[in-house]
Amino acid sequence: MLNIVLFGPPGAGKGTQSNLLIEKYNLIHLSTGDILRGEIAAGTQLGLEAKSIMERGDLVPDKVVIGMISSKLDANPNANGFIFDGFPRTAAQAQALDSLLNEKGTSISRMLSLKVDDQELIKRLLNRGKESGRADDKDENIIANRINEYNNKTAPLKDYYSLQDKLSEVEGIGSVQDIANRLNEVIDKL
Ligand code: ADP
């Protein structure tokens, strides 16, 4: 199986690149952000609980997102592989993911981490806020909080995968196709 953690700060382009990678490598895209927004749109109990947390730009509790990923893995027993987008975001999530995959006799193949500077991130997110109406993209304070959460809780996961010799950092500035080519180059060597 090809199991990729597509990593990077909010606005790094994980969603855009995931859509290209799933086509090219026949993978299943698991985006915790998309799943959570789906729950909110469907008005479920889980969505109700997540909504205010997401609107502040805080992280949803580990237990909730780990449960979501676990059921998506169970729902796709014959997958060729997965792209994890927006997950894991904490050490507890990374450990849970390793053990869920281990139970299925597989593991993470590689973490691909997109590098984009803060100024460019803020510009992209504010633009997306105008186009998509996403509440957490409209306000600079909320964006700053998300970047902060990323730097404090999520960025350290690069060390977690680096210690397993599974980290590749990829420049996330350039055209969508340029960045896709850089990601493909790493994956094709696996
Ligand atoms: P972005 O990476 O652009 O911020 P996402 O769609 O990945 O956007 O996430 C949006 C929000 O959803 C996050 O700010 C957070 O509140 C919540 N969220 C998504 N994934 C996770 C996760 N793995 N753990 C905790 N919270 C999450």
Side-chain angles (χ1 to χ4, degrees), residues 10 14 32-33 37 54 58 60 86 89 93 128 134 146:
K14 302 184 293 286
T32 41
R37 282 184 288 277
M54 290 170 73
D58 291 338
V60 172
R89 259 178 155 99
Q93 292 178 23
R128 187 171 74 184
R134 247 178 81 167
R146 283 156 63 202

Side-chain angles (χ1 to χ4, degrees), residues 34-104:
D34 287 350
I35 300 168
L36 288 165
R37 282 184 288 277
E39 297 281 340
I40 292 173
T44 66
Q45 182 62 36
L46 195 161
L48 223 65
E49 283 168 29
K51 188 170 189 279
S52 57
I53 300 173
M54 290 170 73
E55 282 175 354
R56 288 196 300 272
D58 291 338
L59 292 184
V60 172
D62 286 335
K63 215 174 125 221
V64 173
V65 287
I66 292 166
M68 286 176 355
I69 289 287
S70 174
S71 56
K72 292 288 178 187
L73 292 176
D74 288 343
N76 293 284
N78 299 318
N80 202 26
F82 295 91
I83 299 214
F84 299 95
D85 162 4
F87 182 92
R89 259 178 155 99
T90 64
Q93 292 178 23
Q95 284 153 13
L97 180 58
D98 274 352
S99 51
L100 287 171
L101 292 176
N102 191 35
E103 279 166 24
K104 299 190 184 300

